[in-house]
Amino acid sequence: MIICMCDILCVTNRHLCREDFLVRIEKIAAARPAGVIFREKDLTKDEYKELAVQVLKICEKYKTPCILHNFPGIAAELNGNALHLPLPVLRGLSPSDRAGFPILGASCHSVKDAAEAESLGCTYITAGHIFDTACKEGTAGRGLAFLKDVCEHVSIPVYAIGGITPENITAVRMAGAQGACVMSSAMTWDDVSKKLGEFG
């Protein structure tokens, strides 16, 4: 699915940045993660498209895959080849629309979700949240047993999300995951390349 030495996907949240968002995107893209999921859920379609044009340009400069999120029409209009969707949005896409994206992912929160995403043509999924995280404060992580169960029920790559750190990434991989997603930390690391390297 995504050919890269790194198996970490960086998920964006511009509200967490301590610097200009596009400066942060450039630092992330230059560090060559497995991909950047441009997520920004609070933007309107027009706002998302305007920013996506700039994010795609930066990622292309460093040959880092950019995975657009939530807006299939915008992704198609911008000739994006990678798209990540919430499962309800994925269900609404026609088979021909889904086939238009060589890289297609979905966010899954159960084994049933994962199996459905695979049946709908996804080339990878994210599964979570695995560990307790500030982004899901008050909601316990589903744990490694959940991750292992998901990985055993699909044949496509699974990327764990939620509280993933260099300290627990080995356990995540041992559970069967292809890799993991990071969001809060990726938006705030002082040295992105160094921190990505710590995931081994």
Side-chain angles (χ1 to χ4, degrees):
M1 117 51 205
I2 298 171
I3 302 172
C4 182
M5 293 299 290
C6 180
D7 61 5
I8 302 298
L9 294 171
C10 293
V11 183
T12 73
N13 183 337
R14 71 192 190 288
H15 298 296
L16 299 176
C17 289
R18 299 168 183 165
E19 62 192 336
D20 179 80
F21 178 65
L22 293 177
V23 170
R24 172 56 43 166
I25 291 296
E26 181 126 20
K27 289 178 180 178
I28 291 171
R32 302 293 313 280
V36 174
I37 300 179
F38 176 50
R39 192 161 175 253
E40 306 312 312
K41 295 169 70 174
D42 64 317
L43 296 178
T44 65
K45 284 186 178 182
D46 288 343
E47 291 169 338
Y48 185 89
K49 179 182 176 182
E50 183 179 352
L51 197 50
V53 169
Q54 299 176 78
V55 173
L56 282 165
K57 185 177 180 180
I58 292 169
C59 288
E60 184 178 347
K61 174 182 174 182
Y62 294 99
K63 301 189 182 332
T64 294
C66 180
I67 305 168
L68 299 184
H69 181 267
N70 198 46
F71 295 117
I74 290 174
E77 188 178 342
L78 297 179
N79 296 315
N81 68 353
L83 179 64
H84 189 96
L85 297 173
L87 200 51
V89 179
L90 177 66
R91 291 184 187 118
L93 280 189
S94 69
S96 60
D97 285 341
R98 295 195 301 265
F101 296 99
I103 298 171
L104 182 63
S107 302
C108 298
H109 305 98
S110 68
V111 170
K112 183 179 177 182
D113 285 356
E116 181 180 2
E118 183 173 31
S119 74
L120 290 172
C122 281
T123 59
Y124 79 97
I125 60 169
T126 60
H129 64 286
I130 304 305
F131 302 109
D132 294 350
T133 172
C135 294
K136 300 283 187 180
E137 194 170 355
T139 305
R142 292 182 170 89
L144 291 168
F146 160 77
L147 178 61
K148 186 172 187 291
D149 202 17
V150 168
C151 293
E152 288 176 346
H153 281 84
V154 295
S155 59
I156 55 178
V158 177
Y159 288 80
I161 190 168
I164 312 299
T165 67
E167 290 71 36
N168 59 36
I169 187 63
T170 297
V172 164
R173 292 176 180 131
M174 288 180 67
Q178 172 76 29
C181 302
V182 293
M183 183 177 69
S184 300
S185 49
M187 293 293 102
T188 57
W189 283 326
D190 290 332
D191 187 330
V192 180
S193 293
K194 179 182 178 183
K195 287 296 184 179
L196 279 178
E198 291 177 6
F199 283 87

